[in-house]
């Protein structure tokens, strides 16, 4: 029997610290994917000199994990990832170095030492802000009220295993209409994270299915926050805050 191959050289240095990082995806970056950001991030980590921990094996890769990234086309003020490093570092220094090394568009918001557990466990709901150019506030109010009056509204989306139908109404905890400073009609909504994930475009499709409301232009969605959901206070708490 052939001997099992092992990588040449010593094993990579062990991780001694984990950092959780919040970044914002703004402007044209809303049209990039998490994979696109990942490539830019790895280059920025090398340029900034962050002592990254790497996996073992023939093809080592930096220990980076992403959690619940927004879909392509949505801006976000609250995207998260976690990195492991081989030396103790100052989170504020890492934040400044990464922000300097990244291209324009993604902005580092906060870096903290990771708490125990998986990052995704602290991301239970998102607060979204879709904007509706060319829509009268009264029309949006009627559509949202009709949608919220329903218990279930099914939508369909194509997944790798085929077309799937699921409820897009149940996860919506709050939906409040209003007007932005520029006069554009807006909808602030809190959506719990479920499987499959209910995205802003799913909610808008469900509103159309429930009320026949179809905006003249595609709404622009921004994730304002994601984190720990409290049904008592109906709020989304900062996932990086200490317990």
């Amino acid at each position: 029997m052939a001997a099992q191959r092992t990588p040449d050289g010593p094993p990579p240095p062990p991780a001694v610290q984990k950092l959780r990082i919040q970044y914002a995806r703004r402007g044209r970056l809303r049209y990039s994917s998490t994979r696109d950001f990942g490539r830019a991030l790895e280059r920025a980590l090398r340029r900034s000199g962050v002592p990254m921990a790497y996996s073992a094996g023939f093809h080592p890769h930096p220990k980076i994990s992403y959690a619940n990234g927004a879909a392509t086309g949505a801006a976000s003020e609250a995207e998260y990832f976690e990195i492991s490093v081989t030396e103790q570092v100052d989170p504020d220094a890492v934040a400044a170095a990464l922000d300097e090394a990244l291209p324009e568009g993604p902005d580092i918001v906060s870096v903290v030492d990771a708490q125990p557990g998986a990052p995704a466990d602290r991301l239970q709901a998102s607060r979204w802000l879709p904007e509706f150019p060319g829509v009268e506030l009264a029309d949006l109010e009627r559509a949202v009220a009709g949608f919220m009056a329903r218990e279930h509204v099914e939508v369909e989306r194509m997944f790798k295993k085929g077309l799937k139908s699921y409820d897009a109404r149940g996860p919506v905890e709050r939906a409040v209409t209003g007007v932005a400073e520029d006069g554009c009609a807006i909808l602030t909504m809190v959506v719990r994270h479920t499987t499959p994930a209910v995205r802003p475009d799913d909610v808008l499709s469900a509103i159309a299915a429930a009320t026949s409301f179809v905006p003249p232009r595609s709404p622009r969605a921004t994730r304002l926050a994601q984190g720990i959901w409290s049904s008592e206070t109906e709020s989304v708490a900062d996932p990086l805050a200490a317990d």
Side-chain angles (χ1 to χ4, degrees):
M1 184 172 65
Q4 184 176 4
R5 293 180 62 211
T6 58
D8 296 329
V16 299
Q17 184 182 11
K18 283 186 177 182
L19 301 173
R20 286 185 183 161
I21 301 173
Q22 176 184 355
Y23 73 97
R25 205 169 83 178
R26 299 168 176 146
R28 290 185 298 176
L29 198 68
R30 71 165 61 228
Y31 300 108
S32 66
S33 66
T34 301
R35 182 175 296 180
D36 294 331
F37 173 75
R39 287 192 288 264
L41 173 63
E42 290 190 25
R43 291 192 293 268
L45 287 166
R46 289 193 294 269
R47 286 196 297 267
S48 62
V50 175
M52 287 296 301
Y54 281 77
S55 63
F58 289 99
H59 303 287
H61 58 272
K63 290 188 175 182
I64 308 172
S65 59
Y66 298 90
N68 200 47
T72 302
S76 178
E77 295 295 314
E79 300 295 284
Y80 296 92
F81 64 92
E82 184 174 272
I83 65 174
S84 297
V85 293
T86 58
E87 302 171 14
Q88 288 290 329
V89 295
D90 175 30
D92 291 337
V94 170
L98 268 183
D99 209 34
E100 178 68 24
L102 282 167
E104 184 179 357
D107 296 307
I108 301 299
V109 176
S110 180
V111 180
V112 301
D113 284 300
Q115 299 187 56
D121 293 341
R122 302 179 68 84
L123 302 178
Q124 300 168 355
S126 290
R127 189 168 75 251
W128 289 96
L129 178 70
E131 302 172 78
F132 295 83
V135 172
E136 293 293 333
L137 178 59
D139 294 336
L140 180 61
E141 287 176 339
R142 282 192 293 270
V144 172
F147 167 72
M148 294 299 289
R150 301 278 292 271
E151 291 188 3
H152 300 277
V153 182
E154 294 287 312
V155 296
E156 292 183 335
R157 195 198 314 164
M158 184 62 71
F159 292 83
K160 291 182 179 179
K161 294 184 178 180
L163 193 65
K164 186 170 185 177
S165 177
Y166 51 98
D167 176 32
R169 168 60 187 90
V172 180
E173 294 288 347
R174 295 186 62 205
V176 180
T177 57
V179 178
E181 292 182 359
D182 61 1
C184 183
I186 59 174
L187 169 62
T188 304
M189 60 185 185
V190 174
V191 183
R192 284 184 292 102
H193 297 169
T194 56
T195 303
V198 173
R199 308 183 307 194
D201 55 323
D202 294 326
V203 176
L204 300 178
S205 295
I207 291 174
T211 67
S212 300
F213 169 75
V214 179
R217 294 164 57 186
S218 296
R220 302 184 299 264
T222 300
R223 174 149 56 193
L224 301 178
Q226 65 170 324
I228 302 169
W229 166 246
S230 170
S231 57
E232 294 181 359
T233 61
E234 294 189 338
S235 62
V236 179
D238 181 1
L240 299 186
D243 291 332

